[in-house]
Short mmCIF file of all heavy atoms in Angstrom, two decimals:
data_model
loop_
_atom_site.label_atom_id
_atom_site.label_comp_id
_atom_site.label_asym_id
_atom_site.label_seq_id
_atom_site.Cartn_x
_atom_site.Cartn_y
_atom_site.Cartn_z
N CYS A 173 0.85 -1.18 0.00
CA CYS A 173 0.00 0.00 0.00
C CYS A 173 0.90 1.24 0.00
O CYS A 173 1.87 1.31 0.75
CB CYS A 173 -0.90 -0.03 1.23
SG CYS A 173 -1.91 1.45 1.45
N ALA A 174 0.54 2.18 -0.82
CA ALA A 174 1.32 3.41 -0.90
C ALA A 174 1.28 4.21 0.40
O ALA A 174 2.19 4.98 0.69
CB ALA A 174 0.81 4.28 -2.04
N ARG A 175 0.25 4.03 1.20
CA ARG A 175 0.12 4.79 2.44
C ARG A 175 0.76 4.06 3.63
O ARG A 175 1.57 4.61 4.35
CB ARG A 175 -1.35 5.07 2.73
CG ARG A 175 -1.62 5.84 3.99
CD ARG A 175 -1.22 7.30 3.93
NE ARG A 175 -2.01 7.97 2.91
CZ ARG A 175 -1.54 8.95 2.14
NH1 ARG A 175 -0.34 9.39 2.30
NH2 ARG A 175 -2.29 9.48 1.22
N CYS A 176 0.39 2.78 3.84
CA CYS A 176 0.85 2.07 5.04
C CYS A 176 1.88 0.98 4.73
O CYS A 176 2.37 0.33 5.64
CB CYS A 176 -0.35 1.46 5.78
SG CYS A 176 -1.17 0.13 4.88
N HIS A 177 2.17 0.76 3.46
CA HIS A 177 3.18 -0.19 3.00
C HIS A 177 2.81 -1.66 3.22
O HIS A 177 3.68 -2.53 3.20
CB HIS A 177 4.55 0.12 3.60
CG HIS A 177 4.97 1.52 3.35
ND1 HIS A 177 5.34 1.98 2.11
CD2 HIS A 177 5.03 2.60 4.18
CE1 HIS A 177 5.63 3.26 2.17
NE2 HIS A 177 5.45 3.67 3.42
N ALA A 178 1.52 -1.93 3.44
CA ALA A 178 1.06 -3.32 3.56
C ALA A 178 1.15 -4.00 2.20
O ALA A 178 1.00 -3.35 1.16
CB ALA A 178 -0.39 -3.35 4.05
N THR A 179 1.45 -5.28 2.19
CA THR A 179 1.51 -6.03 0.94
C THR A 179 0.28 -6.92 0.74
O THR A 179 0.12 -7.52 -0.31
CB THR A 179 2.77 -6.91 0.87
OG1 THR A 179 2.77 -7.77 2.00
CG2 THR A 179 4.02 -6.04 0.88
N ALA A 180 -0.57 -6.98 1.78
CA ALA A 180 -1.81 -7.75 1.71
C ALA A 180 -2.82 -7.11 2.65
O ALA A 180 -2.47 -6.38 3.57
CB ALA A 180 -1.57 -9.20 2.11
N ASN A 181 -4.08 -7.39 2.40
CA ASN A 181 -5.15 -6.92 3.28
C ASN A 181 -5.23 -7.83 4.49
O ASN A 181 -4.62 -8.91 4.53
CB ASN A 181 -6.49 -6.93 2.52
CG ASN A 181 -6.51 -5.88 1.44
OD1 ASN A 181 -6.29 -4.71 1.69
ND2 ASN A 181 -6.76 -6.32 0.20
N ALA A 182 -5.99 -7.43 5.48
CA ALA A 182 -6.12 -8.20 6.72
C ALA A 182 -6.64 -9.62 6.45
O ALA A 182 -6.28 -10.56 7.16
CB ALA A 182 -7.04 -7.48 7.69
N ASN A 183 -7.46 -9.79 5.41
CA ASN A 183 -8.00 -11.11 5.10
C ASN A 183 -7.09 -11.92 4.18
O ASN A 183 -7.46 -13.00 3.73
CB ASN A 183 -9.40 -10.98 4.49
CG ASN A 183 -9.40 -10.27 3.15
OD1 ASN A 183 -8.36 -9.86 2.65
ND2 ASN A 183 -10.57 -10.12 2.57
N GLY A 184 -5.90 -11.40 3.87
CA GLY A 184 -4.93 -12.14 3.07
C GLY A 184 -4.97 -11.86 1.58
O GLY A 184 -4.10 -12.32 0.85
N THR A 185 -5.97 -11.13 1.12
CA THR A 185 -6.03 -10.81 -0.31
C THR A 185 -4.98 -9.75 -0.64
O THR A 185 -4.62 -8.93 0.21
CB THR A 185 -7.43 -10.31 -0.71
OG1 THR A 185 -7.74 -9.15 0.07
CG2 THR A 185 -8.49 -11.38 -0.50
N PRO A 186 -4.49 -9.74 -1.87
CA PRO A 186 -3.44 -8.77 -2.23
C PRO A 186 -3.99 -7.35 -2.33
O PRO A 186 -5.18 -7.14 -2.53
CB PRO A 186 -2.97 -9.27 -3.60
CG PRO A 186 -4.07 -10.09 -4.14
CD PRO A 186 -4.82 -10.65 -2.96
N VAL A 187 -3.10 -6.39 -2.17
CA VAL A 187 -3.46 -5.00 -2.38
C VAL A 187 -3.75 -4.80 -3.87
O VAL A 187 -3.31 -5.59 -4.70
CB VAL A 187 -2.35 -4.04 -1.89
CG1 VAL A 187 -2.19 -4.13 -0.39
CG2 VAL A 187 -1.04 -4.31 -2.58
N LEU A 188 -4.50 -3.76 -4.21
CA LEU A 188 -4.94 -3.54 -5.58
C LEU A 188 -4.35 -2.26 -6.16
O LEU A 188 -4.07 -1.31 -5.43
CB LEU A 188 -6.46 -3.42 -5.63
CG LEU A 188 -7.27 -4.60 -5.14
CD1 LEU A 188 -8.75 -4.26 -5.14
CD2 LEU A 188 -7.01 -5.82 -6.00
N VAL A 189 -4.25 -2.23 -7.49
CA VAL A 189 -3.87 -1.00 -8.18
C VAL A 189 -5.10 -0.10 -8.17
O VAL A 189 -6.17 -0.50 -8.62
CB VAL A 189 -3.45 -1.28 -9.64
CG1 VAL A 189 -3.17 0.03 -10.37
CG2 VAL A 189 -2.24 -2.18 -9.70
N VAL A 190 -4.97 1.10 -7.63
CA VAL A 190 -6.11 2.02 -7.55
C VAL A 190 -5.88 3.32 -8.30
O VAL A 190 -6.79 4.12 -8.46
CB VAL A 190 -6.48 2.33 -6.08
CG1 VAL A 190 -6.98 1.09 -5.38
CG2 VAL A 190 -5.33 2.95 -5.34
N ALA A 191 -4.64 3.53 -8.75
CA ALA A 191 -4.32 4.75 -9.49
C ALA A 191 -2.99 4.55 -10.22
O ALA A 191 -2.27 3.60 -9.94
CB ALA A 191 -4.23 5.95 -8.55
N VAL A 192 -2.71 5.46 -11.13
CA VAL A 192 -1.41 5.51 -11.80
C VAL A 192 -0.92 6.94 -11.67
O VAL A 192 -1.62 7.88 -12.04
CB VAL A 192 -1.52 5.09 -13.28
CG1 VAL A 192 -0.18 5.24 -13.97
CG2 VAL A 192 -2.04 3.66 -13.40
N LYS A 193 0.26 7.10 -11.08
CA LYS A 193 0.83 8.43 -10.87
C LYS A 193 2.23 8.46 -11.45
O LYS A 193 3.06 7.61 -11.12
CB LYS A 193 0.87 8.75 -9.38
CG LYS A 193 1.34 10.14 -9.08
CD LYS A 193 1.24 10.45 -7.61
CE LYS A 193 1.71 11.86 -7.35
NZ LYS A 193 1.65 12.18 -5.93
N ASP A 194 2.49 9.38 -12.32
CA ASP A 194 3.79 9.53 -12.98
C ASP A 194 4.22 8.23 -13.65
O ASP A 194 5.38 7.84 -13.60
CB ASP A 194 4.85 9.98 -11.98
CG ASP A 194 4.56 11.35 -11.38
OD1 ASP A 194 3.99 12.20 -12.11
OD2 ASP A 194 4.88 11.57 -10.20
N GLY A 195 3.25 7.52 -14.23
CA GLY A 195 3.55 6.28 -14.95
C GLY A 195 3.77 5.07 -14.07
O GLY A 195 4.11 4.01 -14.56
N ARG A 196 3.56 5.19 -12.77
CA ARG A 196 3.77 4.07 -11.84
C ARG A 196 2.45 3.69 -11.20
O ARG A 196 1.64 4.55 -10.84
CB ARG A 196 4.78 4.45 -10.78
CG ARG A 196 6.11 4.92 -11.41
CD ARG A 196 7.16 5.09 -10.41
NE ARG A 196 7.73 3.74 -10.23
CZ ARG A 196 8.66 3.46 -9.38
NH1 ARG A 196 9.15 4.39 -8.60
NH2 ARG A 196 9.14 2.24 -9.28
N ASP A 197 2.26 2.40 -11.01
CA ASP A 197 1.05 1.90 -10.35
C ASP A 197 1.05 2.31 -8.89
O ASP A 197 2.08 2.26 -8.21
CB ASP A 197 0.98 0.38 -10.43
CG ASP A 197 0.84 -0.14 -11.85
OD1 ASP A 197 0.56 0.66 -12.76
OD2 ASP A 197 1.01 -1.36 -12.04
N VAL A 198 -0.11 2.71 -8.40
CA VAL A 198 -0.31 3.03 -6.98
C VAL A 198 -1.16 1.92 -6.39
O VAL A 198 -2.30 1.73 -6.80
CB VAL A 198 -1.01 4.39 -6.80
CG1 VAL A 198 -1.28 4.67 -5.33
CG2 VAL A 198 -0.18 5.51 -7.42
N PHE A 199 -0.60 1.17 -5.47
CA PHE A 199 -1.31 0.08 -4.82
C PHE A 199 -1.89 0.55 -3.51
O PHE A 199 -1.30 1.40 -2.84
CB PHE A 199 -0.35 -1.09 -4.55
CG PHE A 199 0.09 -1.80 -5.79
CD1 PHE A 199 1.18 -1.36 -6.52
CD2 PHE A 199 -0.59 -2.92 -6.24
CE1 PHE A 199 1.59 -2.01 -7.66
CE2 PHE A 199 -0.19 -3.58 -7.39
CZ PHE A 199 0.90 -3.13 -8.10
N ALA A 200 -3.04 0.00 -3.12
CA ALA A 200 -3.67 0.38 -1.85
C ALA A 200 -4.33 -0.82 -1.20
O ALA A 200 -4.90 -1.67 -1.88
CB ALA A 200 -4.70 1.48 -2.07
N CYS A 201 -4.23 -0.85 0.13
CA CYS A 201 -4.93 -1.87 0.90
C CYS A 201 -6.40 -1.47 0.98
O CYS A 201 -6.78 -0.36 0.60
CB CYS A 201 -4.32 -2.00 2.29
SG CYS A 201 -4.53 -0.51 3.31
N SER A 202 -7.24 -2.34 1.50
CA SER A 202 -8.67 -2.04 1.56
C SER A 202 -8.96 -0.80 2.43
O SER A 202 -9.91 -0.08 2.17
CB SER A 202 -9.44 -3.25 2.08
OG SER A 202 -8.96 -3.64 3.35
N GLY A 203 -8.14 -0.54 3.42
CA GLY A 203 -8.35 0.61 4.28
C GLY A 203 -8.01 1.95 3.63
O GLY A 203 -8.52 2.99 4.05
N HIS A 204 -7.17 1.94 2.61
CA HIS A 204 -6.74 3.18 1.99
C HIS A 204 -7.18 3.33 0.53
O HIS A 204 -6.82 4.30 -0.13
CB HIS A 204 -5.21 3.31 2.07
CG HIS A 204 -4.71 3.47 3.46
ND1 HIS A 204 -3.92 2.55 4.07
CD2 HIS A 204 -4.94 4.46 4.36
CE1 HIS A 204 -3.65 2.95 5.30
NE2 HIS A 204 -4.26 4.11 5.50
N GLN A 205 -7.97 2.38 0.02
CA GLN A 205 -8.38 2.44 -1.39
C GLN A 205 -9.14 3.71 -1.73
O GLN A 205 -8.85 4.36 -2.73
CB GLN A 205 -9.21 1.22 -1.75
CG GLN A 205 -8.37 -0.02 -1.89
CD GLN A 205 -9.20 -1.26 -2.18
OE1 GLN A 205 -10.40 -1.20 -2.33
NE2 GLN A 205 -8.54 -2.40 -2.23
N ALA A 206 -10.10 4.10 -0.91
CA ALA A 206 -10.90 5.29 -1.21
C ALA A 206 -10.04 6.55 -1.20
O ALA A 206 -10.23 7.44 -2.03
CB ALA A 206 -12.05 5.41 -0.21
N GLU A 207 -9.10 6.60 -0.29
CA GLU A 207 -8.23 7.78 -0.16
C GLU A 207 -7.29 7.94 -1.35
O GLU A 207 -7.02 9.05 -1.80
CB GLU A 207 -7.42 7.64 1.13
CG GLU A 207 -6.41 8.71 1.37
CD GLU A 207 -5.57 8.43 2.61
OE1 GLU A 207 -5.92 7.54 3.40
OE2 GLU A 207 -4.54 9.09 2.75
N LEU A 208 -6.77 6.82 -1.89
CA LEU A 208 -5.75 6.87 -2.93
C LEU A 208 -6.28 6.67 -4.35
O LEU A 208 -5.53 6.85 -5.30
CB LEU A 208 -4.69 5.79 -2.64
CG LEU A 208 -3.92 5.95 -1.32
CD1 LEU A 208 -3.06 4.72 -1.07
CD2 LEU A 208 -3.08 7.21 -1.35
N ALA A 209 -7.54 6.31 -4.49
CA ALA A 209 -8.09 5.95 -5.79
C ALA A 209 -8.16 7.12 -6.76
O ALA A 209 -8.43 8.26 -6.37
CB ALA A 209 -9.48 5.36 -5.62
N ALA A 210 -7.93 6.80 -8.02
CA ALA A 210 -8.11 7.77 -9.10
C ALA A 210 -9.61 7.95 -9.32
O ALA A 210 -10.42 7.15 -8.83
CB ALA A 210 -7.45 7.24 -10.38
N PRO A 211 -10.01 8.96 -10.07
CA PRO A 211 -11.44 9.12 -10.36
C PRO A 211 -12.02 7.86 -11.03
O PRO A 211 -11.34 7.19 -11.80
CB PRO A 211 -11.47 10.30 -11.33
CG PRO A 211 -10.21 11.05 -11.06
CD PRO A 211 -9.20 10.00 -10.67
N ALA A 212 -13.26 7.58 -10.72
CA ALA A 212 -13.93 6.40 -11.29
C ALA A 212 -13.91 6.46 -12.81
O ALA A 212 -14.06 7.53 -13.41
CB ALA A 212 -15.37 6.34 -10.79
N GLY A 213 -13.68 5.33 -13.42
CA GLY A 213 -13.69 5.24 -14.87
C GLY A 213 -12.39 5.62 -15.55
O GLY A 213 -12.35 5.69 -16.78
N ASP A 214 -11.33 5.83 -14.81
CA ASP A 214 -10.04 6.20 -15.40
C ASP A 214 -9.53 5.02 -16.22
O ASP A 214 -9.24 3.96 -15.66
CB ASP A 214 -9.05 6.56 -14.31
CG ASP A 214 -7.73 7.08 -14.83
OD1 ASP A 214 -7.34 6.72 -15.97
OD2 ASP A 214 -7.07 7.83 -14.11
N PRO A 215 -9.42 5.15 -17.54
CA PRO A 215 -9.01 4.01 -18.38
C PRO A 215 -7.58 3.55 -18.12
O PRO A 215 -7.27 2.37 -18.29
CB PRO A 215 -9.19 4.51 -19.81
CG PRO A 215 -9.14 6.00 -19.70
CD PRO A 215 -9.68 6.34 -18.34
N VAL A 216 -6.71 4.45 -17.69
CA VAL A 216 -5.32 4.06 -17.42
C VAL A 216 -5.27 3.12 -16.21
O VAL A 216 -4.52 2.15 -16.20
CB VAL A 216 -4.44 5.31 -17.20
CG1 VAL A 216 -3.03 4.92 -16.81
CG2 VAL A 216 -4.42 6.16 -18.45
N VAL A 217 -6.09 3.38 -15.22
CA VAL A 217 -6.14 2.52 -14.04
C VAL A 217 -6.68 1.15 -14.43
O VAL A 217 -6.17 0.12 -13.98
CB VAL A 217 -6.98 3.16 -12.92
CG1 VAL A 217 -7.17 2.19 -11.76
CG2 VAL A 217 -6.33 4.43 -12.44
N ALA A 218 -7.70 1.11 -15.26
CA ALA A 218 -8.25 -0.18 -15.70
C ALA A 218 -7.19 -1.02 -16.41
O ALA A 218 -7.07 -2.22 -16.15
CB ALA A 218 -9.45 0.05 -16.62
N ILE A 219 -6.40 -0.40 -17.27
CA ILE A 219 -5.33 -1.12 -17.97
C ILE A 219 -4.29 -1.61 -16.96
O ILE A 219 -3.83 -2.75 -17.02
CB ILE A 219 -4.68 -0.23 -19.04
CG1 ILE A 219 -5.69 0.03 -20.16
CG2 ILE A 219 -3.41 -0.86 -19.58
CD1 ILE A 219 -5.28 1.12 -21.12
N ALA A 220 -3.93 -0.77 -16.00
CA ALA A 220 -2.94 -1.17 -14.98
C ALA A 220 -3.46 -2.34 -14.16
O ALA A 220 -2.70 -3.25 -13.81
CB ALA A 220 -2.62 0.01 -14.08
N GLN A 221 -4.76 -2.35 -13.85
CA GLN A 221 -5.33 -3.46 -13.09
C GLN A 221 -5.26 -4.76 -13.89
O GLN A 221 -4.92 -5.81 -13.35
CB GLN A 221 -6.77 -3.15 -12.70
CG GLN A 221 -6.85 -2.07 -11.65
CD GLN A 221 -8.26 -1.59 -11.40
OE1 GLN A 221 -9.15 -1.73 -12.25
NE2 GLN A 221 -8.48 -1.00 -10.23
N TYR A 222 -5.58 -4.71 -15.17
CA TYR A 222 -5.49 -5.90 -16.02
C TYR A 222 -4.04 -6.40 -16.11
O TYR A 222 -3.78 -7.59 -16.05
CB TYR A 222 -6.02 -5.63 -17.43
CG TYR A 222 -7.52 -5.53 -17.50
CD1 TYR A 222 -8.13 -4.42 -18.04
CD2 TYR A 222 -8.34 -6.55 -17.02
CE1 TYR A 222 -9.51 -4.31 -18.10
CE2 TYR A 222 -9.71 -6.46 -17.07
CZ TYR A 222 -10.29 -5.34 -17.62
OH TYR A 222 -11.66 -5.25 -17.67
N GLN A 223 -3.10 -5.49 -16.25
CA GLN A 223 -1.70 -5.88 -16.32
C GLN A 223 -1.25 -6.52 -15.02
O GLN A 223 -0.52 -7.51 -15.01
CB GLN A 223 -0.82 -4.67 -16.63
CG GLN A 223 -0.97 -4.18 -18.04
CD GLN A 223 -0.20 -2.90 -18.29
OE1 GLN A 223 0.04 -2.11 -17.38
NE2 GLN A 223 0.18 -2.69 -19.54
N ASP A 224 -1.70 -5.98 -13.88
CA ASP A 224 -1.35 -6.55 -12.58
C ASP A 224 -1.93 -7.96 -12.44
O ASP A 224 -1.25 -8.86 -11.96
CB ASP A 224 -1.84 -5.64 -11.46
CG ASP A 224 -1.43 -6.14 -10.09
OD1 ASP A 224 -0.22 -6.43 -9.90
OD2 ASP A 224 -2.30 -6.24 -9.21
N MET A 225 -3.17 -8.14 -12.86
CA MET A 225 -3.78 -9.48 -12.80
C MET A 225 -3.00 -10.47 -13.65
O MET A 225 -2.78 -11.61 -13.25
CB MET A 225 -5.24 -9.43 -13.24
CG MET A 225 -6.14 -8.76 -12.24
SD MET A 225 -7.91 -8.86 -12.59
CE MET A 225 -8.04 -8.26 -14.26
N ALA A 226 -2.56 -10.04 -14.84
CA ALA A 226 -1.80 -10.92 -15.72
C ALA A 226 -0.46 -11.29 -15.09
O ALA A 226 -0.02 -12.44 -15.16
CB ALA A 226 -1.58 -10.25 -17.08
N ARG A 227 0.21 -10.32 -14.46
CA ARG A 227 1.48 -10.60 -13.79
C ARG A 227 1.29 -11.61 -12.67
O ARG A 227 2.09 -12.54 -12.51
CB ARG A 227 2.08 -9.32 -13.20
CG ARG A 227 2.79 -8.44 -14.19
CD ARG A 227 3.58 -7.34 -13.50
NE ARG A 227 2.76 -6.45 -12.69
CZ ARG A 227 2.24 -5.31 -13.11
NH1 ARG A 227 2.48 -4.90 -14.34
NH2 ARG A 227 1.52 -4.56 -12.31
N ARG A 228 0.24 -11.45 -11.90
CA ARG A 228 -0.02 -12.37 -10.79
C ARG A 228 -0.33 -13.77 -11.30
O ARG A 228 0.09 -14.77 -10.73
CB ARG A 228 -1.18 -11.87 -9.92
CG ARG A 228 -0.83 -10.62 -9.15
CD ARG A 228 -2.06 -10.08 -8.45
NE ARG A 228 -1.90 -8.71 -8.06
CZ ARG A 228 -1.76 -8.32 -6.80
NH1 ARG A 228 -1.77 -9.18 -5.83
NH2 ARG A 228 -1.61 -7.05 -6.52
N ARG A 229 -1.08 -13.84 -12.40
CA ARG A 229 -1.42 -15.13 -12.99
C ARG A 229 -0.17 -15.86 -13.46
O ARG A 229 0.02 -17.03 -13.22
CB ARG A 229 -2.40 -14.96 -14.13
CG ARG A 229 -2.84 -16.28 -14.74
CD ARG A 229 -3.93 -16.10 -15.75
NE ARG A 229 -5.15 -15.73 -15.03
CZ ARG A 229 -6.12 -14.99 -15.52
NH1 ARG A 229 -6.01 -14.51 -16.73
NH2 ARG A 229 -7.17 -14.72 -14.82
N ARG A 230 0.72 -15.13 -14.15
CA ARG A 230 1.97 -15.74 -14.64
C ARG A 230 2.85 -16.16 -13.49
O ARG A 230 3.50 -17.21 -13.53
CB ARG A 230 2.73 -14.76 -15.54
CG ARG A 230 2.18 -14.66 -16.92
CD ARG A 230 3.13 -13.92 -17.86
NE ARG A 230 3.46 -12.60 -17.38
CZ ARG A 230 2.86 -11.47 -17.75
NH1 ARG A 230 1.88 -11.52 -18.60
NH2 ARG A 230 3.25 -10.32 -17.26
N ALA A 231 2.91 -15.36 -12.44
CA ALA A 231 3.75 -15.68 -11.28
C ALA A 231 3.22 -16.89 -10.53
O ALA A 231 4.00 -17.61 -9.89
CB ALA A 231 3.84 -14.48 -10.35
N GLY A 232 1.92 -17.13 -10.61
CA GLY A 232 1.30 -18.25 -9.89
C GLY A 232 1.50 -19.59 -10.56
O GLY A 232 1.21 -20.63 -9.99
N ARG A 233 2.00 -19.60 -11.78
CA ARG A 233 2.17 -20.86 -12.52
C ARG A 233 3.34 -21.63 -12.02
O ARG A 233 4.29 -21.29 -11.54
CB ARG A 233 2.33 -20.60 -14.00
CG ARG A 233 1.03 -20.20 -14.62
CD ARG A 233 1.19 -20.09 -16.10
NE ARG A 233 -0.14 -19.92 -16.68
CZ ARG A 233 -0.34 -19.79 -17.95
NH1 ARG A 233 0.65 -19.78 -18.79
NH2 ARG A 233 -1.56 -19.64 -18.40
#
């Protein structure tokens, strides 16, 4: 998480990409998602989320 530096949520799920700033993904835990999120419908964030899911899928193989 960009705010608290957590790598997973309290329930064990991974942090999510919620914004892109200066070309870098901004990850947030469930507690900080609303605070750090880009405006709803931001297409760059949607692409970053898909890329993150693909990276996790490849890493899980």
Side-chain angles (χ1 to χ4, degrees):
C173 175
R175 179 72 63 215
C176 67
H177 306 289
T179 57
N181 292 304
N183 65 0
T185 58
V187 294
L188 300 175
V189 175
V190 295
V192 176
K193 185 175 181 181
D194 297 326
R196 304 189 84 182
D197 295 347
V198 176
F199 290 87
C201 65
S202 58
H204 293 116
Q205 286 177 3
E207 176 185 347
L208 298 172
D214 186 333
V216 175
V217 174
I219 292 168
Q221 290 171 338
Y222 286 125
Q223 289 174 333
D224 183 51
M225 288 188 308
R227 280 191 300 266
R228 291 173 198 251
R229 183 173 289 151
R230 282 192 304 264
R233 287 186 171 180

